[in-house]
Amino acid sequence: MADYDDTYTESQVIMTAVKIIAPFTLTYGLFMTFHGGDAPGGGFQGGTIVGVTVLMLAFAFGIEPTRQWLRNSFITGIVTGGVVIFGAIGLGMIALGGEFLEFYKLKAVFDIKPKWGLEAVEIGGISLIVSGVIISLFFTMAAGFTPDRRSGTGGASGVDIDDAPDAANAEVSDDD
Amino acid sequence: MAVERLLVPLSDTVTVRQTVGYAVQSGLERADSLECHLVVALPYDDAVPESARQREDADDLLSRARNWVEEDAGDADVTIETATLGADEYLFGPRDYAEIFDDYAAAQGIDRVVLDPEYQPGVTARILQPLERELDRIGLAYDEAPVERSTRRGRLTGSEDFDRLFATFMVSYGFYLVLGDPTYWFDLVTGAAVAGIVAVSLARVTFSVPLDRVQSPIRVVRFALYIPYLLWEIVKANIAVSAVILRPSMPIEPTLTQVDSRVRSGLPLTALANSITLTPGTLTVRATDQRLLVHTLIPAAREDLFDGGLEKAIRFVFYGRESAAIPSPRERDDAEIVGGDEL
Amino acid sequence: MIEPTPLQVTLETVRFWAIVVLLGLGVFFTLVSTVGVLRLPDIYARAHTASQTDTLGAGFALAGVALAFGWQHAAVYTVLLLFFVFITNPTAAHAIARSAAETGVEPVLAEEGETDESAADTEGETR
Amino acid sequence: MTPASLEDVFLVAAGLFVVLAIAMFYRAVVGPTTQDRLLAVNVLGTNTVVILALLAAGLDQRWFLDVALIYALLNFLMSVAISKFTVERGGVL
């Protein structure tokens, strides 16, 4: 019965409900990211919730408009930025004379609690990587499912290739 | 001798004067003699209390526009017709507007529609983009007036943007401090940063309709008053439905009903549809524009729905006390029981 | 250890029984809702009673939790949770009902008698 | 005086909710339509949120509430996503 057009894919009840809760979920995702050290949560969970917020918007508003709203380069930027921050902090510890990601050096050199080093990795590194990976995975899958977009997925698959090493990187960092 | 018949839908925007000017000028270029139909589409029908004020505004706008046309036409052969459309129905989406324009165009033999790029009928937000699409679908020729509006518009959206950013920021910051500890410096600092990110990224998504500095806070207060009423309705409906379900014979009487509500799209409609779903016994199956398809489980719930208590309450929340006093859906003949075919 | 005053003891007792009553009501309405979901004939009717869990079932139970936490941060958190449930669940119920309507699941209606039920069920099996 | 400790009350209530949630599994398994199953899982999700909150009070573990909030969010997302998917199979997603 309903003829779907590209900008109005969901019932407006769902659309408006998503609009209302989106700021709350995004805030909550970022809150979790910032409270990884002393509460449940952290970069992984927080990043996932941030990613989920975007997926929710995509469900409600349609995937194409959301993709236009969040440009591919932006997502790639998030992911690579996360990797750069992660690497910089980790290598920074080596520069201070420790091992990769050895935060105890912070205490020795700058008199900062090691907790803040972990926080910085969680916030700057992991959350960005995870949210970027979730969003780009979703868009990549969605692009595969849409018949008339088969030719136009160059940007999305580019993101996908970028993601593979990042995902591995993120997994490794889980251990510390 | 050719006569060009133009339809110019008017609304009170910054660019309406230029639109009228363009209509007259372009019409006279194409033909010697011009018949200019100035119309105002009224969003509300007579059953709604706001309609009287809308009608006055419409008459005022029409008489001003008539003067403009006379001024622009000079000595040329221009006939002016004015009309108010849609007084007998409740116009909801762009599709409704497109259809009444089309009916009018067919009745008067209109050649072309001249659209104001800022066209904004009544209370709804700017609908031009979808309206163009609907006109395309119907097959009515239209022409968008080339108007100058950049300076004014920049300033206007600037202040609107600030309101949205500010509102999103405060909501996000408040939520963050509730989650965290408002006395801990780390939470205060990161909260501000997070609220900034959220405001920049989602302000335009969440508040797609511009905020009103006076009305919006009042609506929040009225919404807080609405919550106890809703809870009371939920408790009543829960008890009624529980009694039916727990009885061994289970005397349910499922029906599908169609109710034309008198609330605007977006937040009011969502609030109404969700309130209906939240009260057990009624379930919103479909919400296409203002037409709600509601499944009801027991006759008592159906009667409550047709009495329109929730609808009046939602109207109170969004439009104020005077607007709440509208006839119930049953009285204005907007509620009917439909069969399963309507799905 | 300070001996509690009689007033404090009474207040504690009142609070205890208030919590018990709230939780009992929550369990009761969830029970009704479960019975309804199991008994009622079709998806639309079941969605009505599912909203009972969402509203009063969850509402009373979470109110009991909030009361137990008292004037603490966690109580605010619980109210927030309840508010969130109240916004999202009707939307989810609407989404489900709408999807049922779009995919052509026929509702069992009172006028058409009970014969439709088997038809709707068999049609559903094929999906 | 109270006959039992408040913690026990919460744990008993949580247990009752678990029993009801298990009963709801019947509908999730039997169906018959996809939407029936989805609805049952949605109600199960709401039950889970309540159980988590009850356990948070009963075991005095505040952070269970965080989990409950996330669960509520994912529950909503699941319902919307699957109901969208069943309608537009091969369409938008």
Side-chain angles (χ1 to χ4, degrees):
Chain A
M1 163 196 166
D3 45 337
Y4 296 99
D5 62 41
D6 45 348
T7 55
Y8 194 73
T9 49
E10 262 300 353
S11 154
Q12 56 167 304
V13 172
I14 299 169
M15 220 160 97
T16 316
V18 166
K19 277 185 197 173
I20 295 167
I21 63 176
F24 292 99
T25 56
L26 188 56
T27 309
Y28 192 65
L30 293 170
F31 174 83
M32 285 204 117
T33 310
F34 281 112
H35 290 76
D38 44 3
F44 271 92
Q45 291 88 330
T48 312
I49 295 169
V50 171
V52 158
T53 307
V54 175
L55 305 204
M56 204 165 67
L57 289 172
F59 283 139
F61 291 86
I63 288 164
E64 228 12 72
T66 315
R67 196 203 294 273
Q68 280 158 14
W69 179 65
L70 262 185
R71 291 176 300 280
N72 278 337
S73 55
F74 178 69
I75 299 172
T76 327
I78 285 182
V79 175
T80 44
V83 174
V84 165
I85 293 175
F86 184 83
I89 294 173
L91 296 174
M93 296 304 120
I94 295 181
L96 293 177
E99 303 268 306
F100 187 67
L101 287 176
E102 190 185 355
F103 298 120
Y104 297 100
K105 286 291 162 194
L106 278 178
K107 178 82 177 164
V109 180
F110 296 116
D111 196 27
I112 303 171
K113 278 188 201 155
K115 181 191 153 197
W116 297 114
L118 185 63
E119 288 272 357
V121 169
E122 293 264 5
I123 297 162
I126 298 172
S127 64
L128 288 181
I129 296 172
V130 170
S131 56
V133 166
I134 296 241
I135 297 166
S136 53
L137 275 179
F138 172 75
F139 280 148
T140 313
M141 285 170 71
F145 270 88
T146 312
D148 54 336
R149 271 196 52 88
R150 233 170 249 142
S151 57
T153 53
S157 61
V159 173
D160 192 33
I161 293 165
D162 273 351
D163 289 344
D166 300 342
N169 211 339
E171 259 170 50
V172 169
S173 65
D174 192 18
D175 296 337
D176 39 73
Chain B
M1 170 154 157
V3 180
E4 173 94 353
R5 292 191 179 83
L6 286 183
L7 175 62
V8 189
L10 301 178
S11 63
D12 202 358
T13 60
V14 216
T15 51
V16 61
R17 175 70 189 88
Q18 292 180 45
T19 308
V20 170
Y22 169 78
V24 171
Q25 184 202 343
S26 71
L28 287 174
E29 275 167 16
R30 295 191 185 198
D32 309 330
S33 144
L34 178 68
E35 199 176 307
C36 194
H37 293 257
L38 305 168
V39 299
V40 172
L42 296 172
Y44 297 113
D45 63 7
D46 292 334
V48 177
E50 296 94 299
S51 75
R53 192 169 44 80
Q54 292 276 338
R55 190 178 291 266
E56 279 169 27
D57 290 350
D59 289 342
D60 178 47
L61 180 62
L62 283 176
S63 68
R64 273 189 291 154
R66 179 184 279 273
N67 291 338
W68 294 334
V69 175
E70 279 166 0
E71 202 177 288
D72 290 341
D75 304 330
D77 178 15
V78 176
T79 337
I80 306 168
E81 300 279 338
T82 58
T84 49
L85 302 181
D88 52 348
E89 60 183 316
Y90 187 80
L91 299 179
F92 190 81
R95 179 165 300 188
D96 291 349
Y97 285 98
E99 271 162 13
I100 60 159
F101 292 148
D102 190 44
D103 288 347
Y104 185 85
Q108 305 284 335
I110 296 292
D111 299 311
R112 194 159 55 97
V113 179
V114 174
L115 282 181
D116 179 356
E118 295 273 313
Y119 184 60
Q120 191 175 327
V123 287
T124 42
R126 193 164 162 263
I127 62 165
L128 190 67
Q129 197 61 40
L131 179 64
E132 283 173 332
R133 199 177 301 162
E134 291 298 334
L135 289 175
D136 278 338
R137 193 180 60 86
I138 287 178
L140 189 60
Y142 65 86
D143 193 359
E144 191 175 316
V147 294
E148 294 287 333
R149 54 162 188 240
S150 52
T151 48
R152 160 80 200 226
R153 197 176 194 198
R155 193 161 57 82
L156 194 71
T157 53
S159 103
E160 277 173 7
D161 269 353
F162 174 76
D163 287 0
R164 290 178 208 194
L165 284 173
F166 182 74
T168 321
F169 183 88
M170 289 322 285
V171 166
S172 174
Y173 200 35
F175 182 61
Y176 195 95
L177 292 183
V178 169
L179 291 172
D181 180 358
T183 55
Y184 178 32
W185 66 269
F186 180 73
D187 280 359
L188 288 172
V189 174
T190 53
V194 164
I197 295 173
V198 172
V200 169
S201 55
L202 290 178
R204 298 201 136 266
V205 173
T206 302
F207 298 105
S208 48
V209 180
L211 291 167
D212 188 320
R213 283 189 188 174
V214 180
Q215 285 297 314
S216 298
I218 294 179
R219 282 181 193 143
V220 172
V221 172
R222 285 196 295 234
F223 190 77
L225 292 177
Y226 168 69
I227 290 176
Y229 171 77
L230 177 66
L231 287 180
W232 173 237
E233 288 289 316
I234 287 174
V235 171
K236 273 198 305 188
N238 254 299
I239 292 168
V241 171
S242 304
V244 168
I245 288 173
L246 290 181
R247 204 174 296 170
S249 61
M250 205 168 64
I252 58 167
E253 201 179 294
T255 46
L256 267 183
T257 58
Q258 186 170 304
V259 178
D260 284 358
S261 64
R262 288 288 188 275
V263 295
R264 287 275 150 215
S265 62
L267 196 54
L269 186 79
T270 306
L272 178 62
N274 276 0
S275 304
I276 286 175
T277 311
L278 213 45
T279 16
T282 49
L283 168 75
T284 315
V285 176
R286 211 190 269 284
T288 31
D289 296 349
Q290 88 276 32
R291 180 160 297 172
L292 300 176
L293 193 62
V294 182
H295 186 270
T296 60
L297 192 63
I298 51 176
R302 189 172 67 229
E303 295 306 311
D304 278 353
L305 179 70
F306 286 5
D307 287 340
L310 284 174
E311 189 189 16
K312 281 175 193 159
I314 292 283
R315 284 185 62 82
F316 164 72
V317 170
F318 289 96
Y319 311 116
R321 188 194 296 272
E322 302 83 48
S323 308
I326 60 162
S328 71
R330 196 205 323 268
E331 283 158 14
R332 42 168 216 261
D333 210 15
D334 274 339
E336 55 175 334
I337 298 175
V338 294
D341 315 328
E342 288 289 325
L343 271 182
Chain C
M1 186 77 195
I2 309 157
E3 194 67 21
T5 64
L7 180 66
Q8 276 174 331
V9 172
T10 332
L11 272 183
E12 274 305 299
T13 318
V14 167
R15 193 166 78 117
F16 177 83
W17 286 111
I19 290 172
V20 169
V21 167
L22 284 175
L23 292 185
L25 284 171
V27 170
F28 171 74
F29 280 109
T30 312
L31 171 74
V32 171
S33 161
T34 312
V35 170
V37 170
L38 297 183
R39 274 188 85 186
L40 286 168
D42 73 340
I43 169 74
Y44 301 101
R46 286 175 200 141
H48 289 286
T49 176
S51 75
Q52 287 188 289
T53 300
D54 304 341
T55 55
L56 290 195
F60 280 125
L62 292 181
V65 172
L67 191 57
F69 280 122
W71 289 110
Q72 282 184 48
H73 189 215
V76 181
Y77 220 104
T78 316
V79 173
L80 214 64
L81 183 61
L82 185 62
F83 191 66
F84 194 74
V85 167
F86 265 51
I87 293 181
T88 54
N89 268 327
T91 314
H94 167 71
I96 295 170
R98 181 169 175 271
S99 117
E102 298 272 332
T103 44
V105 179
E106 293 281 328
V108 180
L109 296 180
E111 289 91 334
E112 294 168 16
E114 295 302 301
T115 49
D116 244 30
E117 187 182 341
S118 56
D121 279 4
T122 47
E123 192 200 8
E125 294 298 357
T126 59
R127 282 165 212 290
Chain D
M1 279 290 107
T2 53
S5 78
L6 211 47
E7 280 73 24
D8 292 342
V9 174
F10 279 110
L11 293 182
V12 168
L16 290 174
F17 269 97
V18 170
V19 171
L20 293 174
I22 291 171
M24 196 66 83
F25 262 115
Y26 172 78
R27 186 52 72 195
V29 172
V30 171
T33 64
T34 317
Q35 284 83 12
D36 279 306
R37 298 195 174 93
L38 185 54
L39 185 78
V41 174
N42 188 26
V43 176
L44 266 173
T46 312
N47 278 347
T48 313
V49 171
V50 173
I51 291 166
L52 281 170
L54 290 172
L55 288 181
L59 304 174
D60 201 25
Q61 303 280 331
R62 300 290 156 72
W63 57 274
F64 274 30
L65 290 176
D66 291 86
V67 182
L69 196 57
I70 298 303
Y71 206 92
L73 167 65
L74 292 181
N75 196 27
F76 169 70
L77 191 73
M78 177 211 65
S79 303
V80 172
I82 298 183
S83 51
K84 191 175 166 68
F85 178 71
T86 51
V87 176
E88 303 168 40
R89 196 168 295 196
V92 175
L93 183 72

